[in-house]
Amino acid sequence: MKHAARSLLLMAAWCCPCVQAAADPSGPDQVRVPAGTYIPFLRIAAGPDQIPVRSFFLDTSPITRGEFLDFVRDHPTWRKSRIKRLFGESSYLRDWHDDLDPGTGLDEPVTYVSWFAARAYCEAHSKRLPTIAEWERAAGSDSRVITPPPERHIATPVGFAMGVPAPDLPPPRLNVGEVWEWNLDFNSALVSGRASSSGTASSLFCGDGYRARNADDYAAFLRYSLRSSLRADYALRNLGFRCAL
Amino acid sequence: MNRRGRWLLSIGVIVTLAVAVILWRHHSFTHAEHQTSSTRAPMSERSLYQLESAWRTDADRSLRLRELRGHYQIVVLMFTECVGICPILVKQLQHLQTTLPPAIDASTRFVAISIDPDRDTPQVLSHYRQQMHLDSRWTLLTGDSIAVREVTAVLGFNYAPGPADQFVHSSLVSVLDPAGSVIHQQPGAADMQDIVRIIAADKERRADLSHASSLRHAAW
């Protein structure tokens, strides 16, 4: 009978959601990014040269398909058949077989996720999406001069444009470059420098090129132009996310 | 009861309890979901009114976007200290307001949403209403930075803090139908009369739909 009582206790622990372990906010899967500065890639006339970035924690890797599966299990409104179109376009989780079946590659970054879904995931883990300033601080975009890439890089623009951890980060190593990533304030990217500009036409890639702080930084061009062309419901094949704290 | 019987009984108890707990959790879960979906049911999947963020009006009243339901809403994003396009856009919309045909005028309202939560308090918005002579058909809203980020991200409006306490930002007018779906967007500089044509066409389409459905009812 003692045996049975113990089994019952175990069973109760398994059934009660409150006993499930909460995610450790600063575990081995996060890197502590020291305070630093962010130099906006696009100059704004009379704007600040550097923006201070406070110290924060950043996931070392993008969220995986397996992790996202756990999330949609617990939060049915974010399953592929349930999501409202405002929060995720029709390609949302397109490469999943079913609501709870991502197929293979559970350790690979989840993609085809919208900004809303990425935000909801991070919030469910008591975290948030990193801002552009934070992301750029951690990815060390200012730490090297990037010249136009040789042909072989063009084949994988993501790996080329997203692959530079800042040199002053402590371990563990930050893994970047597998996918594009959502930022909390993605829609603050690449706006025109004039408040009186009309519409979005003037904020297209080439139109803003003259404002680039470093015209050789082709990688930053790619990142900024991608972000500025996104909308919150977009779900793209190579766009994932990670969380910050 | 022998040892084996007691053992079987305890296993039976555990299994029964486990099944009961699972069924109960499943039930409360589906029940909760059912309630949410039924309160949301009448809304279009693309409706902006699904956003749950809390706003404050210039009368310092709290407001959810879904309270704007029932009218066409012409939405503009602005901040009161804007020295660029925002006051011009508001003035252009005010002018549009005076030219609306009566039928459209009756079903159309205007919303100005501030992208400057720090400075645009309800009091500041209230002052702005007087200064710009905005009548009761205008709703002026301010919210926290996340609420602003969310609604701008949905509308495709880009903005960032700029020099001299200004924002650099898109200039955009959006039109929502009575259920909160975006039916039209245009840059501020475009012809405002397009908005009237779009609303008129949408009203006509709705009238046709409801006429067709009442005919079907009559036939039954």
Side-chain angles (χ1 to χ4, degrees):
Chain A
M1 214 56 192
K2 211 164 145 194
H3 226 67
R6 210 166 57 197
S7 307
L8 257 181
L9 264 179
L10 275 175
M11 190 75 72
W14 174 76
C15 291
C16 173
C18 53
V19 182
Q20 285 167 7
D24 181 3
S26 56
D29 297 337
Q30 293 212 307
V31 60
R32 186 182 162 278
V33 181
T37 53
Y38 156 60
I39 302 176
F41 174 63
L42 293 171
R43 259 186 298 255
I44 294 168
D49 272 352
Q50 297 195 339
I51 294 171
V53 178
R54 275 188 290 196
S55 172
F56 66 103
F57 289 93
L58 188 63
D59 291 351
T60 51
S61 300
I63 303 307
T64 64
R65 293 155 70 87
E67 288 167 328
F68 204 76
L69 173 63
D70 290 340
F71 167 68
V72 295
R73 258 206 198 103
D74 293 344
H75 301 85
T77 47
W78 296 102
R79 291 177 190 174
K80 103 186 225 170
S81 69
R82 303 270 194 97
I83 191 167
K84 296 281 193 298
R85 282 289 85 95
L86 182 74
F87 302 125
E89 62 176 338
S90 56
S91 59
Y92 178 75
L93 297 182
R94 175 189 263 166
D95 56 346
W96 288 36
H97 300 316
D98 205 349
D99 273 356
L100 299 176
D101 180 9
T104 54
L106 290 181
D107 292 335
E108 287 165 21
V110 65
T111 58
Y112 288 117
V113 284
S114 64
W115 178 76
F116 280 106
R119 258 184 65 203
Y121 177 96
C122 293
E123 275 166 23
H125 291 80
S126 306
K127 299 184 194 174
R128 58 185 173 75
L129 285 174
T131 62
I132 292 178
E134 288 171 335
W135 200 98
E136 294 284 327
R137 157 75 185 102
S141 59
D142 311 311
S143 60
R144 71 170 191 189
V145 172
I146 300 165
T147 48
E151 282 306 310
R152 62 192 163 86
H153 278 133
I154 300 284
T156 57
V158 180
F160 166 72
M162 302 284 280
V164 199
D168 63 335
L169 298 188
R173 193 176 174 282
L174 191 68
N175 300 312
V176 285
E178 273 188 275
V179 287
W180 301 108
E181 297 180 27
W182 279 111
N183 291 107
L184 183 64
D185 54 349
F186 73 94
N187 66 335
S188 69
L190 212 74
V191 291
S192 166
R194 290 176 302 134
S196 57
S197 88
S198 59
T200 48
S202 63
S203 58
L204 290 178
F205 185 9
C206 296
D208 266 345
Y210 71 96
R211 292 199 293 127
R213 200 162 286 280
N214 178 355
D216 283 344
D217 195 345
Y218 184 59
F221 267 122
L222 287 175
R223 286 197 302 277
Y224 278 78
S225 48
L226 177 92
R227 286 174 194 142
S228 72
S229 60
L230 295 174
R231 287 226 189 176
D233 63 331
Y234 280 13
L236 308 179
R237 187 177 57 81
N238 49 11
L239 177 60
F241 70 101
R242 73 181 73 211
C243 306
L245 183 70
Chain B
M1 207 183 291
N2 63 18
R3 209 180 141 85
R4 187 154 177 254
R6 270 215 316 253
W7 178 233
L8 278 177
L9 179 70
S10 58
I11 288 190
V13 167
I14 292 169
V15 169
T16 316
L17 271 171
V19 167
V21 169
I22 288 169
L23 281 179
W24 170 74
R25 277 194 73 186
H26 181 73
H27 173 258
S28 53
F29 211 38
T30 46
H31 186 62
E33 272 170 46
H34 178 74
Q35 280 185 333
T36 346
S37 66
S38 67
T39 51
R40 279 182 177 182
M43 235 181 252
S44 149
E45 282 220 351
R46 289 186 189 279
S47 172
L48 241 66
Y49 299 161
Q50 296 169 92
L51 299 178
E52 293 289 338
S53 46
W55 299 85
R56 296 204 80 76
T57 68
D58 59 311
D60 205 10
R61 188 174 73 78
S62 97
L63 180 142
R64 308 264 165 182
L65 292 181
R66 58 176 170 269
E67 292 173 49
L68 302 172
R69 273 167 93 162
H71 289 96
Y72 290 92
Q73 299 283 356
I74 300 177
V75 182
V76 60
L77 294 137
M78 44 65 79
F79 62 108
T80 60
E81 294 197 20
C82 175
V83 296
I85 186 80
C86 335
I88 302 170
L89 259 185
V90 170
K91 281 292 166 200
Q92 279 178 320
L93 288 175
Q94 249 178 326
H95 176 71
L96 176 75
Q97 198 179 352
T98 64
T99 67
L100 293 178
I104 291 182
D105 185 44
S107 51
T108 302
R109 297 290 183 269
F110 296 81
V111 188
I113 300 178
S114 167
I115 58 168
D116 189 358
D118 290 342
R119 287 180 293 180
D120 286 344
T121 61
Q123 293 72 27
V124 170
L125 286 185
S126 167
H127 180 69
Y128 187 76
R129 179 189 288 281
Q130 289 168 18
Q131 190 189 0
M132 301 289 283
H133 305 291
L134 299 172
D135 68 19
S136 60
R137 282 173 292 180
W138 282 76
T139 305
L140 308 184
L141 296 178
T142 184
D144 64 24
S145 58
I146 287 294
V148 174
R149 187 57 69 190
E150 201 173 60
V151 78
T152 53
V154 166
L155 289 174
F157 178 94
N158 289 17
Y159 70 103
D165 291 334
Q166 294 287 302
F167 286 86
V168 284
H169 61 93
S170 330
S171 111
L172 184 74
V173 177
S174 307
V175 181
L176 309 183
D177 73 10
S181 297
V182 176
I183 55 169
H184 177 64
Q185 289 193 304
Q186 65 179 50
D191 182 3
M192 291 284 178
Q193 287 301 321
D194 284 350
I195 295 174
V196 181
R197 286 188 280 274
I198 300 272
I199 294 180
D202 193 76
K203 275 178 77 87
E204 205 165 303
R205 192 180 56 83
R206 279 163 201 277
D208 285 351
L209 280 177
S210 75
H211 183 59
S213 95
S214 62
L215 279 184
R216 255 204 313 280
H217 270 287
W220 281 101

